[in-house]
Amino acid sequence: MQTVTLIPGDGIGPEITEAVVSILKEAGAEIEWDIQTAGADVAEKEGTPLPDRVIDSIKRNKVALKAPVTTPIGKGFRSVNVQLRKSLDLYANLRPCKNIEGIKTRFDNVDLVVVRENTEDLYAGIERQIDENSAESIKIITRKASLRISEFAFDYAVKNNRKTVTAVTKANICKLTDGLFLNCAREIADKYPEIEYKEILVDNLCMQLVQNPEKFDVLVLPNLYGDIVSDLGAGLIGGLGIAQGANIGLETAVFEPVHGSAPDIKGQNKANPTALLLSAIEMLKYINQKNIAEKIEKVLYKVIKEGKVLTCDLKGNASTSEFTKEIIRNL
Ligand code: ATP
């Protein structure tokens, strides 16, 4: 039995969490959940959306499954997601984007992986109001963070039989910051002669991704470009409802969907739990419960391929609970 921190989050978080927990239980996952609330409601009661108990729980358990958490706006709180990633040093954000059979998209051969640096860049949050009409934000890029994210990307490529790693920057404009990132990527590339290494500017990448996404394999990017490109990747495969992610550090991993708390559909039993379920499947693999992971994966893909019971975001008319029941029935 493995203890895993579970953050049900807010917005659609609790609904999709309930769905995923019931699927994992039915599939026989050997998990004891250490439930830790966080987000807007918690901020009202505990004065912060991310109390220390949440961080302590993840440090203790080393693994977490996290639904989206809202950071209350305009109350001076730092983003919960950024804070979590920074305080646990979850330096790599991994977002695989692969077509799922049965989900119609413009392309049917997308299979790329976005490896996003997770701790610095403009997310360092160093901003300053200069005067009434101007403000500035400082972009931090360090050698240490750039080397380790590049190493992560190449190591991932080797372990997952990938062929190419492409470093994505805007080094023609941000010569010092993105230039440093690129130099670090080149340095690591030299250590992996078996993996082809390429470079591309982020604007060019965006254009090519919407024309020929099949050309790309593993992408490694600084934080901000990584954030934007991973949403683009989610769009290529059918939207945020199916886009999974993981934040990985040396000792700890937090698995979470790419999407946010979707307040527009909160409490309507409409949300697609697939992105959180795919994140949970990756988590099961990470904690060595591969058989259970594959069992759920097979059923999920079967239900989607059949196309009879799908949520609205996938052009179906099933509710969250009907989709969940269909998966459980097939298990
Ligand atoms: P954040 O800034 O936290 O990423 P956001 O409002 O920019 O949040 P999301 O909350 O991810 O973005 O929502 C973007 C759109 O995608 C919304 O219209 C939302 O309803 C839809 N959406 C997001 N997740 C899902 C899901 N799991 N199922 C169905 N629709 C979703």
Side-chain angles (χ1 to χ4, degrees):
M1 195 64 84
Q2 167 111 25
T3 309
V4 173
T5 302
L6 179 68
I7 304 173
D10 40 31
I12 57 170
E15 302 162 49
I16 56 175
T17 301
E18 193 190 325
V20 168
V21 166
S22 63
I23 292 168
L24 263 60
K25 185 169 179 224
E26 183 67 26
E30 297 194 347
I31 291 177
E32 196 168 307
W33 299 108
D34 176 3
I35 301 171
Q36 296 289 336
T37 51
D41 291 348
V42 171
E44 297 276 313
K45 290 186 212 121
E46 300 182 45
T48 164
L50 185 64
D52 288 344
R53 60 174 168 75
V54 183
I55 306 275
D56 292 344
S57 161
I58 304 175
K59 280 190 180 155
R60 208 169 43 237
N61 299 323
K62 311 260 186 282
V63 191
L65 180 66
K66 174 183 163 294
V69 171
T70 315
T71 307
I73 298 171
K75 297 198 178 147
F77 296 122
R78 281 199 70 190
S79 155
V80 170
N81 293 329
V82 173
Q83 227 180 309
L84 200 65
R85 291 166 191 172
K86 282 198 88 163
S87 44
L88 295 165
D89 203 17
L90 302 169
Y91 67 92
N93 187 314
L94 188 64
R95 292 176 167 182
C97 304
K98 191 172 188 304
N99 279 124
I100 297 179
E101 215 182 331
I103 299 179
K104 277 205 190 68
T105 58
R106 278 167 218 270
F107 304 97
D108 50 18
N109 42 11
V110 180
D111 184 8
L112 57 90
V113 179
V114 177
V115 177
R116 163 185 172 193
E117 201 290 320
N118 228 357
T119 62
E120 53 182 29
D121 196 349
L122 284 169
Y123 290 73
I126 308 170
E127 285 198 308
R128 182 168 80 95
Q129 193 77 39
I130 298 170
D131 58 33
E132 208 184 315
N133 300 311
S134 50
E136 67 182 5
S137 182
I138 297 177
K139 169 168 163 136
I140 307 278
I141 299 284
T142 66
R143 193 173 146 74
K144 181 184 167 207
S146 306
L147 285 175
R148 70 179 179 176
I149 196 67
S150 301
E151 183 96 52
F152 183 95
F154 277 92
D155 185 54
Y156 177 90
V158 170
K159 290 188 178 140
N160 292 277
N161 295 319
R162 296 280 177 164
K163 296 194 167 45
T164 310
V165 171
T166 305
V168 185
T169 65
K170 190 75 186 159
N172 56 338
I173 302 297
C174 301
K175 291 192 187 346
L176 296 181
T177 47
D178 285 7
L180 174 60
F181 186 90
L182 208 51
N183 282 336
C184 292
R186 287 174 188 162
E187 215 173 288
I188 300 296
D190 286 343
K191 296 197 330 192
Y192 291 84
E194 70 275 40
I195 302 289
E196 189 185 4
Y197 171 66
K198 291 184 183 169
E199 295 173 354
I200 191 166
L201 295 175
V202 65
D203 41 353
N204 185 8
L205 171 77
C206 289
M207 186 198 63
Q208 295 206 34
L209 276 177
V210 296
Q211 289 189 322
N212 308 102
E214 70 285 350
K215 277 185 19 190
F216 297 95
D217 192 351
V218 177
L219 304 172
V220 60
L221 314 88
N223 207 341
L224 181 64
Y225 310 141
D227 185 17
I228 298 165
V229 169
S230 47
D231 269 30
L232 197 164
L236 288 175
I237 57 163
L240 286 169
I242 55 165
Q244 56 165 312
N247 297 291
I248 298 174
L250 288 178
E251 290 197 340
T252 319
V254 176
F255 295 82
E256 63 175 348
V258 171
H259 63 74
S261 56
D264 53 332
I265 55 166
K266 172 189 171 181
Q268 297 171 31
N269 198 15
K270 257 182 165 172
N272 187 351
T274 300
L276 184 65
L277 184 58
L278 284 168
S279 309
I281 289 170
E282 284 314 304
M283 182 204 71
L284 285 167
K285 292 179 187 166
Y286 182 85
I287 59 172
N288 293 324
Q289 298 193 24
K290 214 168 160 224
N291 292 346
I292 310 279
E294 284 169 357
K295 184 159 104 182
I296 302 172
E297 205 169 24
K298 221 169 118 190
V299 167
L300 172 67
Y301 289 149
K302 175 173 174 269
V303 169
I304 293 179
K305 192 177 166 190
E306 281 172 356
K308 284 185 270 182
V309 185
L310 294 179
T311 45
C312 313
D313 58 309
L314 299 180
K315 315 246 176 327
N317 50 22
S319 63
T320 311
S321 32
E322 283 162 348
F323 179 74
T324 307
K325 269 194 206 127
E326 181 65 6
I327 293 189
I328 290 179
R329 194 178 66 76
N330 277 274
L331 279 168

